[in-house]
Amino acid sequence: MNEIKVFAPATVANVVCGFDIMGFALQEPCDVMTIKKIKEKGISIINADNYNLPTAPEKNVCGGALLAMLKEVEIDFGFEIISEKKIKPGSGIGSSAASAAAVVVGANELLGRPFSKMDLVRFATYGEEIASGARHADNIAPCIFGGVTIIRSNHPLDIIPITCPDMFVTIVHPQIEVKTADARAMLKKEVLLTDAVTQWGNVAGLVAGFLQKDYDLIGRSLCDVIIEPIRSVLIPSFAEIKSKSMQAGALGGGISGSGPSVFMLSKDKPTALRVEQSICEVYDKLDLEYNTYVTTISHEGVRIQP
Amino acid sequence: MNEIKVFAPATVANVVCGFDIMGFALQEPCDVMTIKKIKEKGISIINADNYNLPTAPEKNVCGGALLAMLKEVEIDFGFEIISEKKIKPGSGIGSSAASAAAVVVGANELLGRPFSKMDLVRFATYGEEIASGARHADNIAPCIFGGVTIIRSNHPLDIIPITCPDMFVTIVHPQIEVKTADARAMLKKEVLLTDAVTQWGNVAGLVAGFLQKDYDLIGRSLCDVIIEPIRSVLIPSFAEIKSKSMQAGALGGGISGSGPSVFMLSKDKPTALRVEQSICEVYDKLDLEYNTYVTTISHEGVRIQP
């Protein structure tokens, strides 16, 4: 096999109370990457979209991830990557993670799978470092493993895939820019112990809710007393779209990653569509461009074209 | 049925990273309470042990718990409680919780079970209020439900029983006094966000480890970067008994509740006995009275004599 096409899904990191330690994969949208073995050594990146991302491997998230992998394997050929991004960079649903994950998964297939999924996450975090300055795994891990993943620790990397019930996800992407670094700088360095205890009670409830497939418990646990009260000022009409989504039947939701996208979980598709409608009604009143998607949690993660 | 005998087990609250939100039940030791219907209205408490606890119902944890229950049911008789405490008060393994739990479970049986387990936890927290000034449920809930319980929230009460694999527990009780109020006053009101994130990563890992019956993950997640570093100074040679226990093969462990007892979890009984031996070797060198137990996690909780 000399060529492979990989679909890497968008992901939601943080998951309300699970700041920096949790993420899940979406069914759609997906970045599409074609990876080819080529005679010339090195990495050649071709953009097949309009985002005009850097093509020098050391400045490109795919390139950075693949360079990290190639340090641990000896080969006498190179790779060409044709990058067709469908997840808009900066949307807060793991755009950089999807590209990095796609390329390491694809290259691993072409090499005969010398690396474990855990290795692939590790390589892909070097792509994240290029995108945001930090080798975090909370988008990469769910992108590669699928479903919900806990990132118990980034250094050393400890990823725990957990099962969850089928759920529908409504995403809204208001077309504003939120820089991850700015969203991080807003946070207070210290938090009240009482708030931290409330938060880890909700984290415990959320993990139990996913594993026990208890929708009500998932809903009750989707509560963030630490990050959301601070960051939600970045998102237009956040309180209103959340409250309208809950009225429409959402289990809960919040900021995806560091924004600006917002996600809402629902038990079934009609509810997820009602949630979308409620959000549209709020945003249509503002002078704001936005996109919405209704999709599901992907239990699979990165997919290879058969 | 006019009389019932109830065995209510000791419990471990906090469970290292799960400060204020988690607890589990032990197989032994148990408080033994005999509850009888009597003609005279009101509550009569008789001590059948040497702890000389108050017998006025409103000053006694059993009495306080039962009074809370009796506010929600109309009866034309009273109760006599014969209290045989085997869990030493102040040992940090849920002594007051066991007494309160035993009495409400027993009285509920004698009344024909009008109340749910969740109600019984709620009543028993009034006993905890008499013992420590706070209506916390992190010992009561595992005592009544058995196994591991998450207390996602105390107000309103949200208890989530979760399954866990079979585990052995080594308990050491150094005979010193640690007042819960003092142990709480030591804690800082604010904690670093980075530490809080580490903690909730471990909470997520611990819950997943219990539910997925993953002993290694349970062990990796039994790490507390917030409470233990402060409170462990209260426990004689804490660092040494913990490190010797780990060398002996324990999965992990820490302070039980607010101390002074310390617990260590092990996968099998020979390991738990080696852990006990290691702790004894440390404490035998000190001029310190102490007790040790080796027991298991009780998946059952409060038991009624058949």
Side-chain angles (χ1 to χ4, degrees), chain B residues 131-190:
Chain B
S132 71
R135 285 181 50 207
H136 63 95
D138 47 351
N139 291 101
I140 298 281
C143 189
I144 288 181
F145 283 89
V148 177
T149 57
I150 297 164
I151 298 87
R152 195 191 64 81
S153 157
N154 273 294
H155 311 287
L157 198 55
D158 190 359
I159 294 162
I160 306 144
I162 61 173
T163 56
C164 70
D166 291 334
M167 278 181 286
F168 287 80
V169 191
T170 307
I171 301 272
V172 56
H173 174 206
Q175 308 280 313
I176 57 168
E177 189 179 7
V178 173
K179 288 198 171 148
T180 303
D182 294 346
R184 196 159 277 274
M186 297 175 78
L187 301 177
K188 292 179 188 159
K189 284 198 175 142
E190 296 207 319

Side-chain angles (χ1 to χ4, degrees), chain A residues 129-260:
Chain A
E129 191 171 28
I130 291 171
S132 71
R135 285 181 51 209
H136 63 96
D138 46 353
N139 291 102
I140 298 282
C143 189
I144 288 181
F145 282 89
V148 177
T149 57
I150 296 163
I151 298 88
R152 195 190 64 81
S153 156
N154 275 294
H155 311 288
L157 199 55
D158 190 359
I159 293 162
I160 305 143
I162 61 172
T163 56
C164 69
D166 290 335
M167 277 179 288
F168 287 80
V169 191
T170 307
I171 301 271
V172 57
H173 175 206
Q175 307 281 312
I176 58 168
E177 189 179 7
V178 173
K179 288 197 170 149
T180 303
D182 294 344
R184 197 160 277 273
M186 295 176 79
L187 301 177
K188 292 181 186 156
K189 286 197 171 142
E190 296 205 318
V191 299
L192 289 173
L193 176 59
T194 51
D195 285 343
V197 169
T198 300
Q199 194 90 347
W200 64 62
N202 283 317
V203 167
L206 188 57
V207 172
F210 285 141
L211 280 163
Q212 297 179 334
K213 303 197 191 305
D214 180 337
Y215 289 103
D216 287 341
L217 177 56
I218 292 168
R220 294 200 301 281
S221 305
L222 283 171
C223 175
D224 173 2
V225 296
I226 293 183
I227 312 300
E228 184 178 290
I230 295 172
R231 283 189 172 171
S232 56
V233 300
L234 298 172
I235 315 294
S237 299
F238 178 81
E240 195 179 355
I241 59 174
K242 182 160 179 176
S243 119
K244 290 279 164 65
S245 296
M246 299 304 288
Q247 285 166 32
L251 296 168
I255 303 167
S256 175
S258 54

Side-chain angles (χ1 to χ4, degrees), chain B residues 178-251:
Chain B
V178 173
K179 288 198 171 148
T180 303
D182 294 346
R184 196 159 277 274
M186 297 175 78
L187 301 177
K188 292 179 188 159
K189 284 198 175 142
E190 296 207 319
V191 299
L192 289 173
L193 175 59
T194 50
D195 286 343
V197 170
T198 300
Q199 194 90 346
W200 66 60
N202 283 318
V203 166
L206 188 58
V207 173
F210 284 141
L211 280 163
Q212 296 178 333
K213 303 198 190 304
D214 179 337
Y215 289 103
D216 287 343
L217 177 55
I218 292 169
R220 295 200 301 282
S221 304
L222 283 171
C223 176
D224 173 2
V225 296
I226 292 183
I227 312 298
E228 184 178 290
I230 295 172
R231 283 190 171 169
S232 57
V233 300
L234 298 173
I235 316 292
S237 299
F238 178 81
E240 193 178 356
I241 59 174
K242 183 161 180 176
S243 119
K244 291 280 164 65
S245 296
M246 298 305 287
Q247 285 168 34
L251 296 167

Side-chain angles (χ1 to χ4, degrees), chain A residues 33 42 48 67 70 75 95 119 134 162 180 185 224 245 266 298:
Chain A
M33 300 275 156
L67 283 168
L70 296 183
I75 56 170
S95 175
D119 290 329
I162 61 172
T180 303
D224 173 2
S245 296
S266 298
S298 162

Side-chain angles (χ1 to χ4, degrees), chain B residues 101-114:
Chain B
V103 167
V104 295
V105 168
N108 190 47
E109 287 294 316
L110 294 180
L111 293 171
R113 299 194 198 172

Side-chain angles (χ1 to χ4, degrees), chain B residues 9-64:
Chain B
T11 45
V12 169
N14 293 344
V15 196
V16 190
C17 52
F19 176 69
D20 270 1
I21 64 128
M22 198 183 284
F24 62 78
L26 300 172
Q27 195 63 31
E28 294 290 342
C30 287
D31 278 355
V32 184
M33 300 276 157
T34 305
I35 301 120
K36 295 181 191 178
K37 285 189 200 171
I38 54 172
K39 278 189 184 167
E40 308 88 278
K41 289 194 175 189
I43 301 167
S44 161
I45 299 168
I46 298 165
N47 288 325
D49 51 45
N50 297 318
Y51 293 119
N52 204 24
L53 295 171
T55 53
E58 66 282 0
K59 294 185 179 170
N60 176 292
V61 296
C62 303

